[in-house]
Amino acid sequence: MEKPFAITLDPGSSLANRTGSWRTSRPEYVDRLPPCNHACPAGENIQGWLYHAESGDYEAAWRELVKNNPLPAIMGRVCYHPCEGACNRGRLDESVAINAVERFLGDEAIRRGWRFAHGAPTSGRRVLVVGAGPSGLSAAYHLRTLGHAVEIHEAGPLAGGMMRFGIPQYRLPREVLDAEIARILDLGVKLVLNAKVDDLLETMRAGRFDAAFLAVGAHIAKRAYIPAGDSSRILDAVSVLRSMEGEDQPLLGRRVVVYGGGNTAIDVARTARRLGAEEAILVYRRTRERMPAHDFEVEEALQEGVMMKWLSTIRQADEGRIVVEKMRLDDKGFPQPTGEFETLEADSLVLALGQDVDLSLLQGVPDLEIRDGVVKVDSHLMTGYPGVFAGGDMVPSERTVTVAIGHGKKAARNIDAWLRGTARQLAPRHELASFDKLNTWYYSDAPKTVRPVLDILRRQSTFDEVVGGLDEGNALFEARRCLSCGNCFECDNCYGVCPDNAVIKLGPGKRFRFNYDYCKGCGICAAECPCGAIRMVAEQI
Amino acid sequence: MAFQPVKFYQTGTFTVGNRLLAPEERSVQADMARINSLNSGHRACQGCGEALGARYAIDAAMRSTGNRLIAANATGCLEVFSTPYPETSWQIPWIHSVFGNAAAVATGIAAALKVKGHAEVRVVAQGGDGGTTDIGFGCLSGMFERNDDVLYICYDNEAYMNTGVQRSSATPPGARTATTMAVGPQPGNCFGQGKDLPRIAMAHGIPYVATATVADLRDLEYKVARAMSFHGARYLHILVPCPVGWGHGSHETIRIARLARETGLFPVFEAEDGEVTGVSKIRKPVPVEEYLRPQKRFAHLFGRPPRIDIIAGLQEIADRNIRRYGLLDSTD
């Protein structure tokens, strides 16, 4: 080449200079566990379905959701959403209304008639599910999707368990419940109603079942000894709520006293108000802070005019009146009697003191361990008897619908592994995407869309749903408030902020790759990643 | 003005791009096919703000001109790290000048293009704060005064970094450099000197003057595009932190630039024909201490006892900027 005066070398590109050799630490893309997913008792991939909802693809969002939970419209109403308590956005402004978006997706699926995809090819194995509550339905869905033939034996006249006979209609309309159950049955799950299993092993033998999942729930009301006159009217919460589903509504009278401090007690008190009781008084032996009921339910009950008597126990029940003793908390927080008494006028007393499990079906099953009225299971939810698994309220756990649905899924996957003669191997969990891993500068502030709450008066007199739903605009807005903690959402920040062009953009849905030939390891990409999906690792030198 | 309304609550529009944004709403830097005018393999230090700012600005200028762009470059870090003969990182027509005459060289290129009838080819001149505020100031002021059709971009890292961190007329008061040591009763650079070049440029009454930082890419790209919509002399002053010279972590470059803006020490604004037409409001106000503390060049202010008087003096500068440009929303 003819070169200009005083030029001896051809021009070259700086690409010959591999600046990657300067590096002492390297950036790596990671996926961290979002706190919402971590907190979900049903093991939902919440961030995964919000990701699709953010782009307005609600069907893809719903399909991602039902990989783990087949009952989103129900969950979107009755779940106590521990996910929202864990949400990192709560420390920025307010948590993402995950529960409301879930309900929107569930309702959208019912409205548009989305069906479950048929899953794995038929395995030829048969599984018995005892009880058609949330846990049994969840297990049946997952087992069917995994290719097994499933038969549910339900003692009651309708499927749903406590979702039908325990949760009032104002919290869960029955057409929603029916629609989501029907969708599971459409997969080819056989449901046998009014079929109480008395002898488990005999039922399994007769039906040629290879495994069983027990989820009979806890339906027997706990009693407390209360001296009572002949004509006093004492009921239990389980039968009051159950009879709400029958022809004859329970006769509670004008003044109702409910004894207990859990969510069931609140449900009964609010139901009593709706049935026309002028006074519904909740009597609880400890303080409001120590009530097991969720605070928002207590708050809604108070708004509806339910009265609360803290630090009180019931000593005597007679016709038209109840004697209450005041309590005080001792140093250890236990209630102690004070000897001060008070009389309340009451037409009826409803006991909401917790529930026990009817374990009669387990008679004759060897090697079972029963402790504190519940069945002991191992980490795979298998009982001491091989092939018999159990979940929901009848095993030691928190008694919520969400936990029950989670048990159903977990048991189904373990039953599947057991039927195939393998043990289920869980992938190691990702590190938690805690708040300190985020760069929140990039997230703009936005208020939470508050679900429209029905007028208080309407709520008191009818069984219409108390909490309204999001519309499409709100749902999209709410989904887009997700911070995508710990997982790349393709904001292009790393690609943009690298002073060395050492980040390669791979295109929509494919994320990015580092070009270690030129990456000098400055760490700006990791510092400016909004969601904490990049970590710096020391180079081995 | 520069600031797009917030459309996406997941990230606002603060990130470089976002899969939820329409392609035309994304930044130039989000483009898979961006020009990368300053390519990999350059020898800038880890976390160099100037390398980042230069790519941001020149990529945006290339976009605005349909890749019809020629750059003249003053001596300084940018020239030394990008083009050690015979290699270069530049993927645009680029000419090296000496330390003081980038503005004059650019003027000459613009004049030659005019004579040859290439009106569509645009010219930028670029340099560091030393080549702009000190050594090249005469040429630059002349370029402004003649209103030559050149966009001059100053990458301000507040000292002569290439030669070993000597003070320039853009070095802030109190900062330690190799020539303003942290000793004596008035450690670091002195108060009451230096040049506020964006305001000097405005005083020339040129069509467009703007400031920007590497912490706000979208604002920076907007200002380059806006500048390219004018003909005549234009001036863009970009704050580019220097991890080595300022003594902060290489990963903190963008955070430090953001703090310079959020404290009010570096006002981000634009002006047309000598009048301020828009300012970038402070989003989350912070005291200057948060900006000063992570930088070793200010470490002597936080010794025992701390130099509260100097910190207060710097806070006063920030407060004056906030008042002068209206950097805080009055509703706050």
Side-chain angles (χ1 to χ4, degrees):
Chain A
M1 180 182 156
E2 195 65 27
K3 294 189 177 64
F5 172 73
I7 298 293
T8 53
L9 295 168
D10 290 330
S13 163
S14 63
L15 291 176
N17 188 22
R18 302 292 174 98
T19 51
S21 62
W22 303 10
R23 201 170 51 238
T24 55
S25 62
R26 66 161 58 201
E28 287 179 358
Y29 289 106
V30 290
D31 284 292
R32 291 188 167 118
L33 179 64
C36 50
N37 292 13
H38 184 61
C40 180
E44 284 186 23
N45 182 4
I46 293 164
Q47 189 185 78
W49 55 258
L50 279 173
Y51 180 87
H52 294 294
E54 284 157 26
S55 53
D57 189 347
Y58 301 120
E59 183 166 354
W62 180 78
R63 295 207 177 276
E64 179 63 42
L65 201 171
V66 299
K67 278 183 192 169
N68 292 296
N69 181 348
L71 306 169
I74 296 172
M75 272 298 93
R77 290 172 166 83
V78 304
C79 182
Y80 294 116
H81 42 75
C83 50
E84 293 185 24
C87 178
N88 276 334
R89 178 123 211 171
R91 295 176 56 177
L92 208 56
D93 42 29
E94 277 185 276
S95 300
V96 176
I98 297 167
N99 194 234
V101 179
E102 178 170 37
R103 171 169 161 188
F104 169 78
L105 292 174
D107 287 353
E108 197 71 1
I110 293 172
R111 198 164 68 79
R112 297 183 184 272
W114 295 334
R115 313 281 296 268
F116 295 131
H118 281 272
T122 308
S123 67
R125 301 303 193 103
R126 289 171 54 75
V127 183
L128 171 69
V129 173
V130 185
S135 201
L137 288 166
S138 164
Y141 161 79
H142 286 287
L143 286 164
R144 186 72 200 109
T145 311
L146 290 163
H148 308 297
V150 184
E151 209 169 294
I152 308 178
H153 287 210
E154 164 60 44
L158 288 165
M162 275 298 180
M163 297 188 294
R164 187 182 300 275
F165 297 109
I167 296 176
Q169 290 189 16
Y170 63 84
R171 282 181 54 205
L172 177 57
R174 296 308 182 237
E175 56 275 16
V176 171
L177 180 62
D178 292 339
E180 295 216 312
I181 292 173
R183 192 160 49 209
I184 293 174
L185 299 181
D186 283 350
L187 277 172
V189 171
K190 189 175 171 196
L191 172 66
V192 188
L193 295 171
N194 298 310
K196 187 166 192 300
V197 174
D198 296 314
D199 183 340
L200 176 68
L201 295 182
E202 177 50 33
T203 308
M204 284 180 74
R205 224 179 344 263
R208 293 178 292 105
F209 291 106
D210 300 294
F213 176 62
L214 312 180
V216 298
H219 289 267
I220 305 173
K222 280 187 182 156
R223 308 290 300 201
Y225 174 70
I226 294 172
D230 293 339
S231 46
S232 64
R233 185 163 167 73
I234 302 182
L235 303 149
D236 72 75
V238 179
S239 23
V240 168
L241 291 172
R242 185 183 295 139
S243 60
M244 290 299 300
E245 289 303 299
E247 297 277 304
D248 302 312
Q249 295 194 327
L251 296 170
L252 296 174
R254 291 191 301 119
R255 291 160 303 188
V256 180
V257 170
V258 180
Y259 194 21
N263 289 316
T264 308
I266 303 271
D267 283 345
V268 171
R270 293 174 75 183
T271 298
R273 285 287 284 164
R274 284 176 173 73
L275 285 173
E278 287 166 14
E279 275 180 22
I281 305 171
L282 201 133
V283 175
Y284 178 57
R285 63 201 174 96
R286 295 196 282 186
T287 55
R288 175 170 176 175
E289 297 74 52
R290 290 168 185 273
M291 272 179 111
H294 290 98
D295 205 51
F296 73 91
E297 291 221 48
V298 178
E299 201 49 54
E300 288 183 357
L302 287 168
Q303 283 174 26
E304 289 173 13
V306 171
M307 289 178 279
M308 310 267 174
K309 257 197 136 25
W310 321 109
L311 286 170
S312 304
T313 52
I314 294 177
R315 285 286 172 237
Q316 171 93 25
D318 292 314
E319 183 177 5
R321 64 183 207 103
I322 281 165
V323 179
V324 166
E325 181 173 4
K326 286 191 179 163
M327 309 294 278
R328 59 172 182 82
L329 291 186
D330 65 17
D331 301 343
K332 290 174 182 155
F334 288 106
Q336 300 295 348
T338 59
E340 286 177 52
F341 294 91
E342 191 183 345
T343 303
L344 299 175
E345 290 189 23
D347 297 321
S348 59
L349 169 64
V350 183
L351 304 179
L353 302 168
Q355 287 119 256
D356 286 325
V357 183
D358 179 359
L359 293 167
S360 61
L361 83 165
L362 292 173
Q363 277 167 20
V365 182
D367 302 325
L368 289 187
E369 195 181 331
I370 291 167
R371 194 181 292 165
D372 300 330
V374 288
V375 181
K376 201 161 174 245
V377 287
D378 64 13
S379 63
H380 297 138
L381 292 180
M382 190 156 82
T383 64
Y385 187 86
V388 173
F389 295 71
D393 288 356
M394 69 182 290
V395 303
S397 72
E398 198 192 338
R399 287 178 172 176
T400 69
V401 179
T402 322
V403 168
I405 289 174
H407 281 177
K409 175 181 86 166
K410 187 174 170 188
R413 292 182 180 171
N414 283 308
I415 290 169
D416 178 65
W418 187 80
L419 287 173
R420 294 176 199 281
T422 57
R424 193 161 156 246
Q425 293 298 326
L426 289 175
R429 287 209 142 189
H430 291 141
E431 178 196 10
L432 191 66
S434 47
F435 190 76
D436 59 293
K437 302 227 169 21
L438 308 178
N439 184 340
T440 56
W441 171 261
Y442 292 99
Y443 299 108
S444 57
D445 309 327
K448 176 165 164 166
T449 318
V450 178
R451 283 184 275 190
V453 176
L454 284 183
D455 182 59
I456 298 282
L457 284 171
R458 265 185 78 204
R459 202 194 313 175
Q460 282 174 330
S461 53
T462 73
F463 285 89
D464 286 349
E465 265 193 291
V466 165
V467 180
L470 297 175
D471 63 24
E472 186 176 334
N474 290 342
L476 188 68
F477 175 98
E478 200 55 52
R480 285 180 173 181
R481 294 186 58 238
C482 173
L483 306 180
S484 193
C485 308
N487 294 275
C488 175
F489 60 98
E490 298 184 23
C491 72
D492 295 326
N493 255 21
C494 52
Y495 179 61
V497 300
C498 178
D500 295 287
N501 309 326
V503 176
I504 299 165
K505 183 172 175 174
L506 300 174
K510 297 183 189 148
R511 298 185 172 184
F512 307 86
R513 188 161 63 76
F514 289 112
N515 184 346
Y516 292 114
D517 283 347
Y518 299 106
C519 167
K520 292 171 186 163
C522 68
I524 293 181
C525 54
E528 299 304 321
C529 176
C531 66
I534 300 174
R535 69 167 172 215
M536 297 301 292
V537 183
E539 289 281 1
Q540 301 297 313
I541 302 168
Chain B
M1 188 55 212
F3 314 104
Q4 304 187 26
V6 172
K7 297 192 185 79
F8 289 91
Y9 296 98
Q10 185 178 58
T11 60
T13 40
F14 299 118
T15 53
V16 169
N18 187 316
R19 69 186 178 101
L20 300 172
L21 286 170
E24 66 274 12
E25 290 176 311
R26 301 180 196 180
S27 67
V28 175
Q29 291 299 315
D31 190 350
M32 279 179 82
R34 74 180 184 213
I35 203 95
N36 272 335
S37 38
L38 182 66
N39 207 0
S40 307
H42 63 70
R43 292 154 199 234
C45 310
Q46 289 156 324
C48 176
E50 187 171 40
L52 189 58
R55 194 188 75 225
Y56 281 177
I58 302 299
D59 277 5
M62 288 287 276
R63 167 81 65 93
S64 298
T65 58
N67 300 344
R68 311 281 281 170
L69 188 76
I70 296 174
N73 207 127
T75 301
C77 273
L78 184 61
E79 181 267 334
V80 171
F81 75 63
S82 68
T83 314
Y85 175 76
E87 285 170 11
T88 185
S89 306
W90 292 104
Q91 311 207 72
I92 57 164
W94 179 90
I95 183 167
H96 166 50
S97 66
V98 295
F99 216 150
N101 68 349
V105 169
T107 294
I109 296 170
L113 288 168
K114 190 176 172 191
V115 168
K116 299 189 97 176
H118 294 300
E120 80 285 5
V121 181
R122 307 295 301 274
V123 183
V124 296
Q126 53 182 356
D129 51 292
T132 305
T133 66
D134 295 344
I135 300 174
F137 184 66
C139 291
L140 180 64
S141 179
M143 185 197 104
F144 287 161
E145 185 270 326
R146 294 185 303 272
N147 200 23
D148 294 322
D149 189 17
V150 174
L151 168 62
Y152 191 101
I153 304 173
C154 170
Y155 305 104
D156 179 8
N157 56 20
E158 303 189 335
Y160 289 85
M161 298 312 183
N162 178 38
T163 48
V165 199
Q166 292 86 7
R167 174 196 181 278
S168 80
S169 57
T171 301
R176 183 199 67 198
T177 67
T179 47
T180 56
M181 300 301 280
V183 292
Q186 196 64 36
N189 194 27
C190 51
F191 277 80
Q193 293 185 13
K195 297 179 193 169
D196 185 347
L197 207 64
R199 291 176 65 78
I200 295 171
M202 282 164 65
H204 288 78
I206 58 175
Y208 189 74
V209 173
T211 63
T213 74
V214 285
D216 193 344
L217 168 66
R218 286 171 173 276
D219 175 60
L220 192 159
E221 289 188 348
Y222 158 81
K223 281 169 177 163
V224 172
R226 181 87 183 130
M228 294 320 272
S229 73
F230 292 93
H231 282 272
R234 290 141 289 146
Y235 180 71
L236 180 58
H237 190 100
I238 304 176
L239 184 73
V240 291
C242 171
V244 175
W246 297 13
H248 60 75
S250 64
H251 62 287
E252 292 181 303
T253 300
I254 289 179
R255 189 173 80 90
I256 295 292
R258 186 182 296 138
L259 285 168
R261 196 193 85 170
E262 295 298 281
T263 52
L265 278 174
F266 187 83
V268 178
F269 64 93
E270 61 180 344
E272 292 175 20
D273 301 323
E275 298 290 334
V276 174
T277 52
V279 298
S280 181
K281 300 278 184 190
I282 290 170
R283 236 176 106 199
K284 293 176 182 164
V286 283
V288 293
E289 189 183 337
E290 284 201 36
Y291 169 72
L292 304 174
R293 252 188 203 283
Q295 303 182 45
K296 290 205 185 73
R297 63 175 172 157
F298 295 113
H300 56 278
L301 305 182
F302 300 97
R304 274 186 215 155
R307 291 301 301 266
I308 294 166
D309 55 330
I310 297 180
I311 298 169
L314 287 160
Q315 184 65 55
E316 216 165 276
I317 293 173
D319 291 344
R320 195 184 59 201
N321 285 336
I322 290 170
R323 277 197 309 276
R324 177 180 277 164
Y325 296 101
L327 298 178
L328 282 176
D329 255 328
S330 51
T331 52
D332 285 343

